Amino acid sequence: MIVSSISIVEPEIIVDKDWWRGAVIYQIYPRSYQDSNGDGIGDLGGIKDRLDHIAELGADAVWISPFFKSPMKDFGYDVSNYKDIDPMFGDLHSFDELVEHAHALDLKVMIDLVLSHTSDQHSWFAQSCSSRDNERHDWYVWADGKPDGSPPNNWLSIFGGPGWSWHSTRCQYYQHNFLSSQPDLNFHNPDVQDALLDVVRFWLDRGVDGFRLDTINFYFCDKELRDNPALPPELRNADIAPDVNPYNYQEHLYDKNRPENIDFLKRFRAVLNEYPAATAVGEVGDAQYGMQILKDYTSHEDRVHMCYTFDFLSAELPTAQRVAEVLQKFESEAEDSWVCWAFSNHDVVRHATRWKLPKKHYLQHLKMLAALLMSMRGSVCLYQGEELGLPEADIPFERLQDPYGITFWPKFKGRDGCRTPMVWDAEGDNAGFSTAEPWLPVTEPHRRLAVSQQIGDQSSLLEQYRRFLTFRRQCKSLIKGSLDGISVIGNVLSFLRTDGDETIYCAFNMGSERVRCEIDTDRELRLMEGHGFEPVLKDGALEIPSYSAAFVQLG
């Protein structure tokens, strides 16, 4: 028999479109992760050089805060060119190298897209503000003042003061939810939407796996520019803005949270669906309607995949009762949605400081909280340095960079304290971050918690994160399973995670005393190991040390 031709059959590549569901996403603040060129500012080359740390930690993806071309008035969240890299971070070639290396380490790459506004130095705004009849005259939110010359309505900026600024060329006001140098785009204009979706395709074509969407509920404002109503004092809280900011005095019905946003998110999701496994997580910045918005934005397959709210980014300590209330609210109000839980990020005081944990059990408390975060139904965001237990850095006023903190000092010190450089080597120059003076100082309390001090020390927080993430990867229930059976008895929070035939009973002793708790079930109990905690199971009862956790598989 003669074979006339031979063809090679390529193996079928199986793509997990659901990789994001239950993923652990490590947030990188690029200015502060690693400096590779000695200018005191972190960059893309530095991120690439330190990706091994994240892979070895056990994360599934990285989220990189903005690195686009920018005048840096808000440190990258004021974009002047969506399709280029700011020179302080590198260039498109260095970004491509980063993505290639991340993928070689089996890490997905998500980037931060700031779509609600641009820098006032963006070419779009330069054209828009030049006249009232140019091609992009309505790409931003412009409005005439009131007859007395005051702003069009009572909307406020999160960064303080009115949400409107006067432009003398057009003799009109433009809206800005943040700095006056961050004008808001007009999403009512379909051309604006098209331009932004073109940006999405640009980065997906370069190999990114998804996006973190900054201020996802700020895209649209009310077309009629109606005034926001006052918010009763008893309903005010400081989850989104500090309590010294009058922004908290309004119910933000008209400057954000508009129903028109749903249709744009459907267009956005349709673009993501053109790619094998692209995903998105949205930041919901709202103190009153956060859970409802999360449900509206993620509960259908034609919107974004997941969102995160500020429920655990507040100053309120997550006691057993508090966590149960949040989980029950999520399960009852947004059960068909998917949430991305976080305890810290680049905008809030680090939780190791924010929650004022008792010193006596400080390290053990952090270990237990980390296990809790990674056991709840949803995906997880870890902020750089969280795995080291970094506290909020104390930055003197003369070293502040954040305009938000400078405005509201001293009651609110801004966000610089959570944005200081990552600490790698306790003995190195600037803790291994840079050979030059860093843009923000490296503090001594941070230096003592450097990676070099914790790696290999099995009692350290870093090794506990690595240990628990390894354990979690082996438990499909903890990654994508359902959550039910929420219970609080004293300081013990417990719930069940189930996926298929696997059910895990998770219990967290959030108090300072050792406790004994009964497990009310007829099923066979098997105490699980490898998670870093030392509970005891005897005669159907668990003994859990203070600030500790237990995981029991139900047969």
Side-chain angles (χ1 to χ4, degrees):
M1 180 177 182
I2 299 174
V3 178
S4 59
S5 65
I6 296 176
S7 61
I8 298 175
V9 179
E10 295 289 343
E12 181 181 357
I13 299 176
I14 299 175
V15 176
D16 180 10
K17 288 182 172 290
D18 261 3
W19 69 263
W20 52 272
R21 197 179 293 274
V24 174
I25 304 165
Y26 187 98
Q27 183 195 354
I28 296 172
Y29 193 69
R31 293 179 70 95
S32 297
Y33 198 62
Q34 179 66 60
D35 172 22
S36 69
N37 63 2
D39 64 357
I41 299 172
D43 47 49
L44 297 179
I47 293 173
K48 173 179 172 289
D49 292 343
R50 294 290 191 181
L51 283 177
D52 284 24
H53 170 76
I54 302 169
E56 291 166 2
L57 185 68
D60 301 292
V62 294
W63 146 28
I64 309 174
S65 289
F67 45 76
F68 312 108
K69 202 164 188 179
S70 165
M72 298 293 162
K73 299 287 182 62
D74 190 24
F75 301 103
Y77 284 89
D78 49 330
V79 179
S80 59
N81 188 336
Y82 284 108
K83 295 183 179 181
D84 201 2
I85 310 291
D86 196 275
M88 75 166 56
F89 297 127
D91 54 27
L92 287 170
H93 176 67
S94 54
F95 177 78
D96 293 340
E97 288 186 329
L98 187 160
V99 172
E100 182 180 6
H101 187 50
H103 287 167
L105 294 171
D106 201 23
L107 288 170
K108 306 288 188 184
V109 177
M110 304 177 71
I111 64 173
D112 212 326
L113 271 189
V114 188
L115 301 182
S116 66
H117 55 269
T118 70
S119 163
D120 60 359
Q121 295 183 30
H122 198 293
S123 61
W124 297 346
F125 188 72
Q127 184 174 359
S128 186
C129 70
S130 65
S131 70
R132 296 193 184 194
D133 57 4
N134 68 81
E135 185 180 2
R136 293 194 172 99
H137 72 280
D138 61 347
W139 276 44
Y140 293 81
V141 181
W142 294 97
D144 293 328
K146 292 180 179 178
D148 63 359
S150 59
N153 58 31
N154 70 346
W155 296 352
L156 297 173
S157 163
I158 286 184
F159 285 174
W164 297 92
S165 284
W166 179 257
H167 198 281
S168 58
T169 300
R170 287 186 53 142
C171 289
Q172 283 185 307
Y173 285 93
Y174 64 88
Q175 185 205 8
H176 53 88
N177 275 293
F178 301 94
L179 295 175
S180 61
S181 57
Q182 294 171 294
D184 283 348
L185 286 161
N186 176 21
F187 274 73
H188 292 287
N189 184 335
D191 292 338
V192 170
Q193 295 187 29
D194 290 345
L196 293 173
L197 294 177
D198 181 61
V199 170
V200 172
R201 287 191 176 90
F202 175 85
W203 290 105
L204 288 171
D205 287 341
R206 292 202 88 88
V208 305
D209 302 287
F211 305 95
R212 180 263 189 182
L213 299 175
D214 186 63
T215 58
I216 191 175
N217 55 315
F218 284 70
Y219 294 167
F220 281 83
C221 67
D222 177 45
K223 208 167 188 178
E224 299 175 28
L225 305 183
R226 287 171 284 186
D227 280 347
N228 284 326
L231 189 67
E234 64 273 13
L235 295 181
R236 297 173 191 165
N237 69 62
D239 286 359
I240 305 302
D243 55 12
V244 295
N245 190 340
Y247 187 85
N248 292 316
Y249 291 35
Q250 292 185 358
E251 185 175 7
H252 295 275
L253 295 180
Y254 298 115
D255 53 350
K256 62 181 182 181
N257 305 337
R258 303 304 301 155
E260 300 95 324
N261 208 24
I262 298 294
D263 286 336
F264 172 72
L265 294 180
K266 290 179 179 179
R267 294 194 66 198
F268 177 87
R269 179 63 180 267
V271 171
L272 264 59
N273 288 346
E274 296 172 11
Y275 295 80
T279 192
V281 54
E283 174 198 29
V284 177
D286 190 86
Q288 278 73 48
Y289 305 106
M291 197 68 76
Q292 180 62 46
I293 294 169
L294 182 148
K295 177 182 179 180
D296 292 342
Y297 288 8
T298 71
S299 59
H300 298 276
E301 294 293 324
D302 59 352
R303 304 174 192 185
V304 294
H305 302 75
M306 50 186 167
C307 285
Y308 72 85
T309 67
F310 281 66
D311 291 277
F312 293 125
L313 294 171
S314 70
E316 187 174 356
L317 178 69
T319 62
Q321 188 61 46
R322 163 69 175 152
V323 175
E325 289 171 358
V326 173
L327 294 181
Q328 286 167 341
K329 184 177 181 181
F330 174 65
E331 294 298 327
S332 62
E333 296 184 15
E335 61 179 340
D336 295 328
S337 303
W338 197 260
V339 68
C340 190
W341 301 111
F343 286 169
S344 285
N345 67 22
H346 65 293
D347 280 333
V348 298
V349 173
R350 286 184 176 274
H351 71 267
T353 297
R354 189 172 75 245
W355 289 334
K356 298 178 173 62
L357 306 180
K359 292 183 179 180
K360 185 177 179 181
H361 302 282
Y362 180 76
L363 181 59
Q364 189 60 27
H365 205 154
L366 285 176
K367 291 179 179 180
M368 180 273 294
L369 289 171
L372 172 64
L373 174 66
M374 293 182 277
S375 298
M376 300 186 294
R377 182 171 80 87
S379 302
V380 178
C381 270
L382 302 178
Y383 180 49
Q384 66 181 50
E386 184 173 335
E387 73 278 20
L388 304 178
L390 296 187
E392 186 79 352
D394 188 15
I395 309 297
F397 180 77
E398 60 271 17
R399 290 296 305 271
L400 283 189
Q401 304 285 330
D402 183 14
Y404 201 3
I406 293 170
T407 298
F408 288 105
W409 179 276
K411 185 68 181 295
F412 174 64
K413 297 183 178 181
R415 301 164 295 177
D416 288 334
C418 68
R419 296 177 173 184
T420 55
M422 183 71 171
V423 283
W424 301 101
D425 181 1
E427 304 301 324
D429 292 341
N430 301 303
F433 167 72
S434 176
T435 56
E437 178 73 14
W439 76 287
L440 282 173
V442 174
T443 64
E444 283 306 310
H446 281 198
R447 185 185 288 272
R448 292 193 292 268
L449 294 170
V451 172
S452 65
Q453 298 297 98
Q454 297 196 41
I455 196 163
D457 177 359
Q458 296 307 309
S459 66
S460 71
L461 185 62
L462 172 60
E463 290 296 346
Q464 172 59 19
Y465 268 82
R466 295 171 69 167
R467 186 162 42 239
F468 194 85
L469 280 166
T470 298
F471 168 75
R472 185 179 184 271
R473 280 177 178 267
Q474 299 166 358
C475 303
K476 58 183 181 179
S477 297
L478 294 182
I479 299 174
K480 298 183 180 181
S482 62
L483 185 150
D484 55 29
I486 300 169
S487 173
V488 175
I489 301 176
N491 289 317
V492 177
L493 166 72
S494 63
F495 49 76
L496 298 175
R497 297 296 311 276
T498 302
D499 186 88
D501 58 358
E502 179 186 88
T503 297
I504 299 176
Y505 172 85
C506 310
F508 304 87
N509 180 4
M510 306 181 78
S512 59
E513 303 294 332
R514 188 180 185 92
V515 296
R516 176 183 172 88
C517 54
E518 304 287 336
I519 302 178
D520 185 16
T521 180
D522 294 330
R523 299 170 67 175
E524 180 184 352
L525 305 177
R526 183 179 70 83
L527 190 63
M528 304 179 75
E529 298 177 344
H531 43 65
F533 300 99
E534 297 181 351
V536 175
L537 177 64
K538 186 176 181 181
D539 300 327
L542 269 175
E543 285 191 15
I544 310 176
S546 62
Y547 299 111
S548 192
F551 299 86
V552 179
Q553 189 162 359
L554 305 186

